[in-house]
Amino acid sequence: MQPLSSWPKRSGIVGVLTDIDDTLTTEGSITEEALRALHDLSNHDLRVIPITGRPVGWSEPFALAWPVDAIVAENGAVALVQRPEGALKKLHQQDAATRTANFVRMQEVLKQIERRVPGASRATDSGGRECDIAIDHSEFTQMPQTDIDRCVALMQAAGMNATVSSIHINGWYGTHNKLEGARWIVRELFGRDLDAEIDRWVYVGDSTNDQLMFKHFPHSVGVANIARFVPQLTHLPRYVTQGERGAGFAEVARAILAGR
């Protein structure tokens, strides 16, 4: 990872995709500095789309309050877009029948994990989830890495995709992920091909569930607290900020706007 100050090209950027927990937020809340950074990006006509492992229910108030084009939740499965009149529109990648069948299967896997891994418990935001399950490893509890690995292995043994964020272990059925979610929402909202203009978008993240984005985006940035996950990352971001969490995101926003 190179320091963000060495980022050579900042002109031509049209949009920012970002993780939420421990990237936009600090200690579970968005800071005034990070919120101001979102406003600054939006006021300069940049597209801003958070992409998170958090549930769609949890994401709704933020999709209404933050100056963003959409929030893509549950690792790419579902998006929230604010309509002109202010209400939220919900978009899904899977049809209703598929979601219903997958939900039943996922609940069985969740129960199995809670039985087999001592101390494993579903995330407190699980009631707002439609397309995945989540085990808390660092939000309200501290799970050792060996147990995190066991949870991931049980999800994968059940045929699920599994990924680890800074706070949760997420599992789901389907081909979506953060990258596919980004491609989907950019196409749905703007009629644009993300891969065709990948060098005009920035991705900002902090943990192992961001590494597919780090691999794919030439302008990928980790906020400084990514240091915790570096030993577990196969793909690192190209650049890293000096500041952690929301302060790091604000640092990225300043760098983008300085280059315009």
Side-chain angles (χ1 to χ4, degrees):
M1 298 183 292
Q2 300 298 311
L4 188 64
S5 59
S6 68
W7 188 7
K9 178 193 173 184
R10 287 167 284 173
S11 61
I13 300 297
V14 298
V16 179
L17 304 164
T18 179
D19 177 56
I20 293 181
D21 284 296
D22 294 317
T23 300
L24 269 179
T25 63
T26 303
E27 302 297 329
S29 301
I30 192 165
T31 63
E32 182 179 342
E33 182 182 24
L35 184 58
R36 184 169 60 250
L38 288 177
H39 280 284
D40 289 343
L41 292 169
S42 178
N43 289 339
H44 284 81
D45 298 322
L46 283 149
R47 303 297 189 183
V48 183
I49 305 174
I51 302 181
T52 180
R54 285 283 195 173
V56 65
W58 179 94
S59 303
E60 287 178 357
F62 308 111
L64 287 169
W66 293 350
V68 297
D69 293 280
I71 291 181
V72 178
E74 303 186 28
N75 287 293
V78 55
L80 295 167
V81 183
Q82 192 168 18
R83 299 178 187 270
E85 70 275 14
L88 289 176
K89 177 172 65 173
K90 190 186 296 184
L91 306 173
H92 292 91
Q93 291 226 56
Q94 296 173 330
D95 62 41
T98 300
R99 296 196 306 272
T100 298
N102 286 344
F103 186 85
V104 173
R105 296 167 67 198
M106 291 188 297
Q107 299 314 301
E108 291 303 314
V109 177
L110 184 56
K111 292 174 185 176
Q112 181 188 50
I113 291 171
E114 290 178 320
R115 285 195 305 266
R116 295 182 60 180
V117 181
S121 60
R122 65 194 65 195
T124 58
D125 62 13
S126 293
R129 295 184 179 276
E130 297 181 1
C131 303
D132 77 348
I133 56 173
I135 297 291
D136 184 354
H137 71 75
S138 289
E139 186 174 24
F140 298 108
T141 188
Q142 293 297 317
M143 180 180 286
Q145 187 62 47
T146 52
D147 287 346
I148 293 174
D149 294 342
R150 287 185 67 191
C151 292
V152 169
L154 287 168
M155 290 177 181
Q156 292 175 336
M160 303 179 77
N161 296 295
T163 189
V164 181
S165 75
S166 62
I167 56 173
H168 293 161
I169 308 155
N170 297 94
W172 66 91
Y173 291 108
T175 58
H176 56 274
N177 52 44
K178 282 193 170 185
L179 178 56
E180 290 304 322
R183 287 168 169 154
W184 166 64
I185 201 62
V186 167
R187 183 174 61 250
E188 287 289 318
L189 294 187
F190 315 124
R192 299 166 78 153
D193 183 342
L194 179 61
D195 291 290
E197 54 181 35
I198 197 69
D199 64 342
R200 304 188 70 193
W201 291 79
V202 178
Y203 184 75
V204 191
D206 77 297
S207 67
T208 52
N209 74 334
D210 296 308
Q211 63 180 331
L212 183 60
M213 304 295 268
F214 294 153
K215 176 183 179 182
H216 194 73
F217 282 77
H219 302 303
S220 60
V221 184
V223 290
N225 46 293
I226 196 173
R228 169 189 173 191
F229 292 100
V230 164
Q232 300 157 38
L233 291 173
T234 303
H235 303 288
L236 294 168
R238 300 288 181 94
Y239 305 99
V240 64
T241 64
Q242 290 185 328
E244 294 189 346
R245 299 175 173 84
F249 180 83
E251 192 179 325
V252 176
R254 289 193 297 271
I256 292 170
L257 297 176
R260 287 174 68 83

